Amino acid sequence: MPRAQVEKSLAGGNLRQLRHGWVATGDADPEVVRAVQIGGVLTCASALKRHGVWVPPTTKLHVRGSTSSVRNHPAWCKQHGRPPKVTTAVDDLPTALRHAARCLSTEAFVVVCDSILNRGLLTPSDLEAELGEAPKSVQQALSLVDGRAESGTETMVRLRLRAPNLELRPQVEVPYVGRVDLVVGTSLIIEVDGYDYHADPEQFENDRLRDLRARAIGYFPLRLTYQQVVYQWDIVGPLLTDLIRRGAHRKGAHGFRI
């Protein structure tokens, strides 16, 4: 857009000046606008969410500085190594991922990597190429990435239940039941509802029939809600641990091995 046209649009209210070199349309994303106004661009979890990645809930606006004067802001995201040049108001997925590797907790980072692989946004070799030079802590987190989970809550449950000699298998096809979110050991099935899950009467009936079929062939099915996984794990986690301690995952499935 020629400068004269920009000036005309600014004067007419169709554009607004955010800072030197940056303008916004009236319908621009408010969070992106805020990131630019304060001297940065959107990155890390905030950018990943806009690329279709399942991101753990957060109230933080993830920003990185777009100029040397603000790049070292203590509350903003940074990546390992030299910061890349800013080209857009929202970082591309690889750049956002590199910032997430340094900013997010291990669990949250594995959650976003699982989602990226599951949704086909990057391949395992892409992850290795982007993060191969990252510190040992990032490499250890990458070793936990699976990519089969269809939601972040499934990944959270898998990571939190990890224990020596405990087998955890995501997205398993169970005979007579169908695909389930997670099988622990040989017989404990855990299904996790998404944030926007609302069971209509037909879905409610189908889920209960699946549970009944699972019980009929020797499985122990459990259902967790988004709220229970994300906000009530201090209650739910110990209950699951106790069930596993008492052998709910070792009952066997009437000779079926999946």
Side-chain angles (χ1 to χ4, degrees):
M1 183 182 291
R3 184 64 198 176
Q5 189 176 350
V6 172
E7 295 289 354
K8 183 178 179 180
S9 296
L10 287 168
N14 295 321
L15 292 177
R16 56 180 170 140
Q17 190 86 40
L18 300 182
R19 69 175 201 260
H20 179 70
W22 294 84
V23 297
T25 59
D27 61 351
D29 185 321
E31 291 193 339
V32 181
V33 168
R34 177 61 180 157
V36 173
Q37 282 177 324
I38 61 179
V41 295
L42 217 60
T43 192
C44 193
S46 298
L48 290 172
K49 185 175 181 179
R50 284 158 178 79
H51 289 297
V53 179
W54 199 106
V55 174
T58 178
T59 57
K60 178 181 178 179
L61 185 67
H62 292 262
V63 179
R64 73 175 175 104
S66 57
T67 63
S68 58
S69 61
V70 294
R71 200 162 283 149
N72 293 321
H73 191 295
W76 290 1
C77 301
K78 302 173 184 66
Q79 71 170 44
H80 297 288
R82 186 175 179 180
K85 182 179 179 181
V86 166
T87 58
T88 62
V90 179
D91 273 340
D92 60 27
L93 192 149
T95 302
L97 178 65
R98 292 196 301 273
H99 283 76
R102 180 168 174 177
C103 172
L104 300 183
S105 68
T106 296
E107 178 182 277
F109 179 64
V110 175
V111 164
V112 299
C113 287
D114 265 11
S115 177
I116 286 169
L117 293 183
N118 183 265
R119 300 182 183 193
L121 301 174
L122 292 177
T123 65
S125 58
D126 292 332
L127 287 184
E128 184 178 349
E130 292 297 334
L131 301 166
E133 301 300 318
K136 184 178 179 180
S137 59
V138 176
Q139 304 306 319
Q140 290 172 336
L142 286 174
S143 71
L144 301 175
V145 173
D146 182 278
R148 285 176 287 177
E150 295 182 349
S151 74
T153 45
E154 294 176 34
T155 298
M156 290 176 184
V157 173
R158 175 175 67 83
L159 294 176
R160 294 171 186 178
L161 292 182
R162 285 175 62 245
N165 303 316
L166 181 63
E167 186 179 20
L168 301 165
R169 290 169 292 154
Q171 293 298 312
V172 176
E173 191 72 28
V174 177
Y176 309 111
V177 177
R179 187 170 295 275
V180 300
D181 293 338
L182 187 70
V183 173
V184 182
T186 58
S187 56
L188 178 59
I189 291 174
I190 299 178
E191 300 265 47
V192 186
D193 295 336
Y195 174 76
D196 56 355
Y197 179 82
H198 297 285
D200 59 29
E202 183 177 357
Q203 184 65 54
F204 183 90
E205 294 295 333
N206 286 339
D207 287 344
R208 271 60 198 173
L209 182 57
R210 278 165 56 94
D211 291 348
L212 182 58
R213 284 174 171 162
R215 286 185 179 278
I217 59 174
Y219 288 93
F220 191 122
L222 291 175
R223 291 188 176 274
L224 303 179
T225 67
Y226 175 93
Q227 295 289 329
Q228 288 170 340
V229 174
V230 176
Y231 300 113
Q232 299 175 357
W233 192 258
D234 58 328
I235 299 172
V236 172
L239 294 174
L240 292 176
T241 300
D242 189 54
L243 281 172
I244 292 170
R245 181 182 60 79
R246 291 189 284 123
H249 65 303
R250 293 196 304 261
K251 301 300 183 183
H254 291 311
F256 288 104
R257 176 62 184 168
I258 54 176

